[in-house]
Amino acid sequence: PVQVLEIVAAQERLDADRHYPDQDAVDLVHIAFNAPDLPGLGTAVLTPVSGGGRTSGPLARVTRGKLCTDTIELDPDRDGSARLRDLRNGHEYSGLLVLEDETDGGDTYTFAPTRPGDVRRLRPGRTRIVARGPLVAALETKWSGRGIQARLLAMVNACDSIVRCTLEVHNQASNHRLRIRVPSGLSGVAALAGAQLGVVEREAVENLKGKHETETPVRTAPAHCFVAVRKTGGLGLFCPGFFEYELTAAGDLLLTVLRSVGALSRGNLATRPGHAGWPMPTPLAQCHGMDRIDFALAPLSGNDDAASLQGMWEDCFLPIRGTWFRDWLPHAMGETPSLELEGEGLVLSAIKPAEDSEGMVVRCFNLRDNRVTGTLRAGVEVSRATLCRADESPVESLKVDKSGVIRFPVSPRSVATVLLQ
């Protein structure tokens, strides 16, 4: 069964080598459906048919203004914030998804509040229902204030426990910082932040009052893919790539949406004496205009570690991708080879052609503190497999069994590179 999410009038152009182009007015229809199970890097062909049936299994729905699945509830409050309930363990998180704006007299290097403590919430408008389920349920809230117009779309899927959000911001204000607040309610707990090939744990930065000889320590930090505050429960915050966050002593996470600044470097900041770079204007760094930010929230349990957080991130931002072919030819796709990586705590980092030989390189890293045995299952015939260094120089040969399975060791918190030929 298919759930129609949106119908938009659009144009479609088809070009041909020896004919005039064909330009048609079409209906662009966004739909949701339960995708079939697929092998690693595999594909499947689905064809539309009339009719359909009732949706079975988990459901997403809007009940009394709340987004609900079988495992979570997102309940908007009148002040524009939201309350998230984890129905699996009874944990509740309030004050979520508030948009906060503060003045910023800094430069591209350093944040410097013009009026310390002058943090204001944007004014929320009415919340309306965008999708009612049964596969996707969504609510929309509009915000305004200080020269900013914003639209926040919160969505839940029937099949998981993640709140997916899209924030569209039209910014006409200058010299300010816009952030989203996500309180976890866990004070005194360090944040676990994703890094390029692993994770890092950071405490909240406190006691910044007084003079500093060089630069005032910053409260913010970078993260790759995710940052989480967890104990017996907790919250995970996920973004498509790199982002900036702040952890407060009360356990709140603050996601930086944008910073509007007008100079590359200023020499008169209260947070940094002297220049950090060349003093020149940067008018485009005021970030005027439209921006779109995708992020997600998920309630956590005490068993969620770095590997499970990475898995949630992949569910959010590396899902199965559907592509519509208007003129489909059954033989057009051909056979697609598959490749599957298995191993607790292993994260796929790269699949690429070999640099100096024929073959394919598969790279992964281990997020666990213990040694892990990785398994590669190739959907094509593999004549040789070699464990390599990062520069692809060989270390040792690996055994390839008759079914094309290759097993290889991965040390704790390390990277493994396998060359397949």
Side-chain angles (χ1 to χ4, degrees), residues 130-146:
V130 178
R132 293 183 175 273
L135 300 176
V136 176
L139 297 174
E140 174 197 76
T141 304
K142 293 186 177 180
W143 302 73
S144 62
R146 283 190 170 184

Side-chain angles (χ1 to χ4, degrees), residues 263-275:
L264 181 68
S265 177
R266 299 184 190 274
N268 57 348
L269 302 183
T271 52
R272 187 198 68 230
H275 281 285

Side-chain angles (χ1 to χ4, degrees), residues 7 13 34 45 58 63 100 182-183 186 261 277 294 331 337 390 392 400:
I7 302 178
R13 178 185 175 98
N34 286 323
V45 178
T63 305
E100 297 182 352
V182 180
L186 300 175
V261 293
D294 292 317
H331 61 274
E392 299 179 22
V400 183

Side-chain angles (χ1 to χ4, degrees), residues 321-351:
R321 185 177 298 275
T323 302
W324 171 259
F325 292 91
R326 183 180 183 189
D327 297 316
W328 172 253
L329 299 175
H331 61 274
M333 186 171 65
E335 215 172 308
T336 305
S338 63
L339 180 69
E340 296 186 2
L341 169 69
E342 298 176 1
E344 288 294 328
L346 295 185
V347 178
L348 181 66
S349 175
I351 300 176

Side-chain angles (χ1 to χ4, degrees), residues 160-413:
D160 57 37
S161 303
I162 300 172
V163 181
R164 292 166 170 82
C165 299
T166 297
L167 178 66
E168 296 174 350
V169 177
H170 185 214
N171 175 48
Q172 291 301 319
S174 299
N175 302 317
H176 71 110
R177 179 172 68 174
L178 181 65
R179 301 197 291 180
I180 298 174
R181 185 174 291 270
V182 180
S184 70
L186 300 175
S187 60
V189 178
L192 184 69
Q196 187 174 9
L197 292 172
V199 293
V200 61
E201 203 166 24
R202 297 190 184 100
E203 304 280 348
V205 178
E206 300 181 76
N207 303 321
L208 297 185
K209 295 182 180 180
K211 292 185 177 181
H212 299 270
E213 293 183 1
T214 55
E215 184 174 356
T216 303
V218 295
R219 297 181 183 273
T220 57
H224 183 211
C225 297
F226 63 85
V227 61
V229 181
R230 60 203 169 85
K231 201 172 184 181
T232 54
L235 285 174
L237 176 63
F238 306 87
C239 289
F242 289 98
F243 61 98
E244 179 187 82
Y245 77 94
E246 178 184 334
L247 173 67
T248 70
D252 293 5
L253 288 171
L254 289 156
L255 169 65
T256 301
V257 175
L258 59 84
R259 281 190 66 220
S260 298
V261 293
L264 181 68
S265 177
R266 299 184 190 274
N268 57 348
L269 302 183
T271 52
R272 187 198 68 230
H275 281 285
W278 190 258
M280 63 179 295
T282 57
L284 294 182
Q286 293 288 6
C287 299
H288 293 158
M290 291 293 298
D291 281 293
R292 171 179 167 145
I293 297 94
D294 292 317
F295 64 98
L297 297 174
L300 305 177
S301 67
N303 298 324
D304 287 318
D305 59 4
S308 59
L309 290 169
Q310 181 70 36
M312 293 180 195
W313 180 86
E314 291 181 356
D315 288 342
C316 291
F317 301 111
L318 289 178
I320 295 173
R321 185 177 298 275
T323 302
W324 171 259
F325 292 91
R326 183 180 183 189
D327 297 316
W328 172 253
L329 299 175
H331 61 274
M333 186 171 65
E335 215 172 308
T336 305
S338 63
L339 180 69
E340 296 186 2
L341 169 69
E342 298 176 1
E344 288 294 328
L346 295 185
V347 178
L348 181 66
S349 175
I351 300 176
K352 59 180 285 292
E355 293 290 334
D356 301 321
S357 63
E358 293 186 358
M360 178 172 59
V361 168
V362 180
R363 184 172 290 120
C364 64
F365 59 91
N366 180 11
L367 285 175
R368 296 277 168 86
D369 290 322
N370 56 286
R371 181 185 176 96
V372 173
T373 298
T375 301
L376 284 173
R377 301 180 185 275
V380 295
E381 184 177 352
V382 177
S383 59
R384 185 180 180 186
T386 308
L387 189 65
C388 300
R389 301 191 336 174
D391 61 1
E392 299 179 22
S393 58
V395 175
E396 63 175 287
S397 296
L398 299 172
K399 181 181 178 181
V400 183
D401 67 17
K402 295 180 180 180
S403 58
V405 174
I406 303 104
R407 292 180 174 83
F408 57 97
V410 190
S411 300
R413 307 284 182 181

